[in-house]
Amino acid sequence: MNFYSVAPFIQQYYPAYYSIETYPADRCVCIRKVSDEWGILGNFARTRIFINNVAFKNSEQLFQLMKFTDEEPVKAVYQAANPKYTAKYWEKTHRRSDWGSIIVDAMKFCLSKKYEQSEEFRFALSQTKDLFIVEDQTSFPKKTADTWGVKLVGNNFVGPNLLGRLLMELRNGQLNFTLPDNALKFTEYLNPRQRST
């Protein structure tokens, strides 16, 4: 099994999300690039989130930091230009042991905080009413979509679409999550007085 693969975690801990979904393409709002029309819905959109007086540049950075409880990887990921790739470097040795069992709840937390703190995001999400939300990975080199997205197959988008599903749950007021007490321990290492803005 690929150490970085999300699917086994979903299958084991979140079986309700372990499925392949199909959506008619003409009824979908597609997340592709941050600069595109619906880019604000993506995790890399520049929507600042504040947690325990620490500023995060977007929900992706926040999500990647939730993988760690040790100071060294936390500071490295926080300062990185691309937190996703830096987190991948540190995961082999420092990823929290329960990450698989909290991964979806962690993403729900990040999306919920983004919703609470970004008026632009709330407005865009409300504009998707009655449409499906998908992360379109059709241009990705992989043959099939990963856990978070979909690929265009004929007139339909097909894939697990976990990000889109969580966004639709959030839009519909159904996004509930539970996290362990130390889920935000990483913020202790990011003292606002010691970091650059």
Side-chain angles (χ1 to χ4, degrees):
M1 182 183 77
N2 185 334
F3 176 83
Y4 302 104
S5 179
V6 174
F9 293 147
I10 306 303
Q11 183 179 22
Q12 181 176 356
Y13 298 107
Y14 298 95
Y17 292 109
Y18 190 73
S19 61
I20 301 298
E21 305 296 313
T22 301
Y23 309 92
D26 61 356
R27 300 269 304 133
C28 289
V29 163
C30 297
I31 303 169
R32 296 186 181 102
K33 296 179 180 179
V34 171
S35 57
D36 287 349
E37 178 183 5
W38 297 104
I40 186 68
L41 299 180
N43 285 331
F44 288 91
R46 300 284 297 196
T47 51
R48 286 192 118 191
I49 299 171
F50 289 86
I51 306 291
N52 294 341
N53 297 316
V54 178
F56 302 90
K57 60 186 177 183
N58 52 34
S59 51
E60 182 66 27
Q61 183 189 40
L62 177 59
F63 178 72
Q64 295 299 333
L65 282 161
M66 293 184 77
K67 296 176 178 178
F68 306 103
T69 57
D70 298 301
E71 184 172 6
E72 192 175 5
V74 166
K75 288 188 172 180
V77 173
Y78 186 78
Q79 295 165 4
N82 190 319
K84 183 176 181 179
Y85 290 129
T86 303
K88 198 169 185 179
Y89 170 81
W90 286 97
E91 279 188 73
K92 280 277 190 179
T93 54
H94 287 78
R95 188 171 72 188
R96 54 184 301 149
S97 60
D98 62 350
W99 178 243
S101 65
I102 70 169
I103 185 170
V104 174
D105 288 284
M107 181 58 77
K108 288 181 176 183
F109 171 80
C110 295
L111 295 176
S112 296
K113 291 302 175 183
K114 180 178 177 179
Y115 187 84
E116 290 173 10
Q117 299 183 30
S118 173
E119 183 178 359
E120 183 183 3
F121 175 60
R122 289 196 301 273
F123 177 76
L125 195 60
S126 71
Q127 296 301 106
T128 69
K129 186 179 180 181
D130 300 325
L131 295 172
F132 299 108
I133 302 173
V134 299
E135 182 180 75
D136 182 9
Q137 300 178 354
T138 304
S139 65
F140 290 17
K142 291 182 291 186
K143 186 176 180 181
T144 58
D146 67 24
T147 298
W148 301 104
V150 295
K151 279 183 175 275
L152 187 63
V153 180
N155 295 319
N156 297 306
F157 283 111
V158 179
N161 195 39
L162 182 54
L163 178 61
R165 293 165 74 179
L166 296 182
L167 286 168
M168 288 185 281
E169 288 182 21
L170 178 61
R171 178 187 66 192
N172 299 334
Q174 301 168 336
L175 199 64
N176 301 308
F177 58 86
T178 303
L179 290 171
D181 292 339
N182 69 343
L184 301 179
K185 179 178 174 59
F186 64 92
T187 61
E188 297 174 7
Y189 307 122
L190 303 173
N191 188 316
R193 294 176 183 173
Q194 297 176 356
R195 64 183 173 80
S196 58
T197 53

